[in-house]
Amino acid sequence: MKFSEMKYERPDLDKVLAQCEEYAKKMAAAQSGEELVQLYREENAMMAHYHTASCLASIHYTQDTRDEYWSGEQEWFDATGPAVSNAARNVAEAILSNPHAKALEEAFGTRILPSLRNLVLSMDDRVIELQKEENALTSAYQKLYGGAMAELDGKQLTIPQLTLYKQSTDPAMRRKAYEAEAVYFDAHRAEFDEIYDKMVKNRNEQARILGYNDYSELSYIRMNRIGYGPAEVAAFRQEVVEQVVPMIQKALALRNKRTGIENPMFWDSTISFADGNPVPHGSYDELMAGARKMYHELSPETAEFIDFMQDNEMFDVLSRPGKMSGGYEEMLPDYKTPFIFANWNGTAGDVDVLTHEAGHALEGYLAARSPKNIPEDIQCPGMESAEIHSMSMEFLTAPWHHLFFKEDTDKYELLHAEDSFIFLPYGCMVDEFQHIMYQQPDLTPDERNAVWLELEKKYRPWNKFGDLPFYGRGAGWQRQLHIFECPFYYIDYCLATAIALQFFVASLKDHKDAWQRYMKLTNLAGMATYTELAESAGMKAPFTKGSLTELSRAVADWIEQHQVS
């Protein structure tokens, strides 16, 4: 079924809650493991209808945040979603109370019982009203950001559309693009500050009610992190500072030599070649045709997948006014279909996001059709694992990148490797910033910005802002959607990048073998933890001292050996 043909109907909230309550009673009383497994499957199928409606409303809302009808539907889910989440939490508690709960692990893998425990520990009915308020604040941020327009070059541009100007070969134009962006954020400075302040206090209050010191503790439960915690993540961040940052500084020295920029400022960080960054060659239709050819040649599974996606209108990737910034993949479980949302802007990032979100979508597409008949709740792994699918796909499609970049393919490969490497300290900076924000919730807006600038010195010491507005005062974090919408998610990209770069190195030696290992990991869906998934593909989780030493050296060496003028 095409996306435009999918009918939306607001769920009957009372019916959904009553069904959850009924399943909770049945699961608590199940007389055998077999009965409990069957009830779990039935409850998942029932909730799939609610999740499909919720996702349809969210997709339509983000496609145009100005649309009154879809804004209203999003507000309804914002208000009612916490009650449904609490009902799901009660179902999980009922399962865990049953003496036959171990049968779920035998049926669905090691991750399911810890996930259910985390769900029970992550909320209860005491925080429902606070969660409603949190959802409303998130929607307010989306609307504020989604409505952002900037004037530049005689045009009214969305924030994503500014990216092309930020990559201009003219340094004056690059700075003007950043200044144009700053005009909007500075004009709405008080609103962004107020929304975030309320979010921090709201989430910390939820954590306090549930028995945690602050939201940074609760977030590890809500993000369903299994087998590692804050200490391991802190150790990973330190590894990035010690092992990756010095290698990046060497790579950036090579980049500066290529561009001829002797004293690079922050607004020069987006230019990688003296004659300009590589950009995709072709129209929207030509690029989508290239994607179809690429996935047809990659494997039988990806061939079937891309035909389904393109033939059923499951891509919305062009930027336009009112459309929410960013990109995502969302599953519509009733239809067993992924949907890909992005904001193409004519830069190399268009291909990055195409392959990235396709990695998510392929996993969801395969899991929904798995012969293992995997229940919806465990079709997708934890987010740090899900990002392995997406970030590794960016590298594993390399043999076909010429379809998009033609004679500039070598430039794109170098740019992509550099940017993936450079991302690691930025992602860690976002994570440490959030820990500080929730552990010191009474910081003023100016103090928050000062923390961000201090972290810049630690993680990205090469950045020089000068008198650039917005960024120069340390407020650049406010354009990072995840900090507002899904706190503590961002480190997942870093943990996944640590695995994706291993796939990159492996693919250079034997692409066929790397792809087979990727598919082995992907086909485990949500039935294994992050560490288990990494091990299934012969990769190493990056939590021990020195775990990034060899990898960072291998990536830095590749970058040095593949310089393109």
Side-chain angles (χ1 to χ4, degrees), residues 288-301:
M288 294 304 281
R292 193 185 290 260
K293 178 176 174 60
M294 173 174 70
Y295 283 118
H296 266 255
E297 294 180 1
L298 178 54
S299 76
E301 296 91 344

Side-chain angles (χ1 to χ4, degrees), residues 331-373:
M331 281 298 296
L332 296 161
D334 277 356
Y335 302 101
K336 296 185 177 182
T337 180
F339 183 90
I340 290 177
F341 174 101
N343 279 274
W344 282 7
N345 50 31
T347 69
D350 295 351
V351 176
D352 294 345
V353 76
L354 170 66
T355 53
H356 180 100
E357 301 303 343
H360 285 307
L362 175 66
E363 188 279 331
Y365 180 87
L366 294 175
R369 291 162 175 75
S370 171
K372 299 173 186 175
N373 191 21

Side-chain angles (χ1 to χ4, degrees), residues 249-292:
Q249 289 177 301
K250 292 180 181 179
L252 288 175
L254 292 171
R255 177 183 283 190
N256 295 337
K257 185 177 179 180
R258 289 199 311 265
T259 61
I261 300 174
E262 295 181 359
N263 184 33
M265 301 298 288
F266 177 71
W267 52 89
D268 298 317
S269 62
T270 49
I271 190 76
S272 299
F273 300 92
D275 59 350
N277 290 357
V279 297
H281 293 242
S283 64
Y284 168 83
D285 289 339
E286 289 169 332
L287 295 177
M288 294 304 281
R292 193 185 290 260

